[in-house]
Amino acid sequence: SLALAFDEAGMTMSEEYQEKLDGLEDELKKDAEEGKYESIDAMIQTDAGPGALAEDYYLYTTLYYKAYSYFNNSLDAIEITDKMIDDYFTKNQAKLSLDGITKDTGDSFKVRHILFQVGEKPTEEDWETCRKKAQDMLDQWVADGCSEDNFAQLAKKHSEDPGSKEQGGMYYGLTDQTNFVQEFKDWYLAEGRQVGDYGLVKTSYGYHIMYYSGTEPIWYYYCREMIRDEEANKLVTAAVEKYTPSIDYEKILIGEVKLTTEAEKK
């Protein structure tokens, strides 16, 4: 439904997603070879079931990118004002207090980062290669003027953290209780941290280029995210109501399961 809304809105695939689609066949071929499958189709059928083909996976991926793009672009276009947030708090104050959220709860931290992953079982050479990539990007960003907007654009293009990439590397609502790796937390919790501070942090994931965006009240963060969730639900509901999905049961293929005895296995 969201993909159809993408088409009707006249949107086009982003350069990043188009590159991924263009390289999908080569990526699947590589995965199939590494997994020692006879073909791409054989690999896909192992995961998705009988009848699934590479062209089906390509269609699925295209639909996913369209839907994801429409959803995020539409959500980002919704302006959530201070008044909306304050009104939400007033309306839901009793319920929020049950969760320990009041206007005296304290502040949370805002941090952007760009992650370069080091991969599994890295060697010292892998770590150094990862560090150098991160340091080179940090040096170039500094040379370009240390702009937060520029940092966000670099994160969207280069960060290997799917949890923050689309938000320009931003994590909101961080506290000392946030379940992040300790080195990451130690950086933003450091005494005297100031807006605009930056640095390089090594964690078990790889190297992170860090940027400190400041603080905001926990109640403010919490209410803004609740409003975003409500708006997100409205987007999906509107798309599904306009483009009601249907199922063609005749197209469904049922796989055969062969049962064997212990004697036959031997």
Side-chain angles (χ1 to χ4, degrees), residues 3 10 15 23 27-28 32 40 48 90 93 112 126 132 135 148 167 182 195 213 223 225-226 232 239 243 248 255:
E15 182 178 336
E27 180 183 344
L28 292 174
I40 296 174
T90 301
Q93 188 169 356
R112 293 187 190 272
D126 293 331
K132 189 175 186 306
Q135 187 64 58
E148 181 172 0
Q167 291 74 45
Q182 194 60 47
V195 174
S213 293
C223 291
E225 293 307 299
M226 292 302 99
Y243 306 102
D248 184 352

Side-chain angles (χ1 to χ4, degrees), residues 209-225:
I209 306 174
M210 309 290 290
Y211 182 92
Y212 187 72
S213 293
T215 62
E216 64 181 357
I218 290 174
W219 73 267
Y220 187 95
Y221 159 76
Y222 196 94
C223 291
R224 185 184 65 237
E225 293 307 299

Side-chain angles (χ1 to χ4, degrees), residues 42-85:
M43 178 182 68
I44 291 175
Q45 288 168 22
T46 299
D47 290 333
L53 303 174
E55 61 190 69
D56 301 314
Y57 187 80
Y58 184 89
L59 174 60
Y60 158 78
T61 305
T62 303
L63 290 172
Y64 176 83
Y65 287 158
K66 285 183 176 183
Y68 194 76
S69 298
Y70 177 81
F71 178 83
N72 280 310
N73 289 343
S74 299
L75 194 57
D76 289 344
I78 298 172
E79 182 183 5
I80 301 177
T81 65
D82 290 344
K83 185 178 185 307
M84 291 170 63
I85 292 171

Side-chain angles (χ1 to χ4, degrees), residues 147-162:
S147 160
E148 181 172 0
D149 287 342
N150 190 19
F151 192 100
Q153 291 305 313
L154 289 172
K156 285 184 177 182
K157 187 172 183 179
H158 299 286
S159 182
E160 296 173 351
D161 172 28

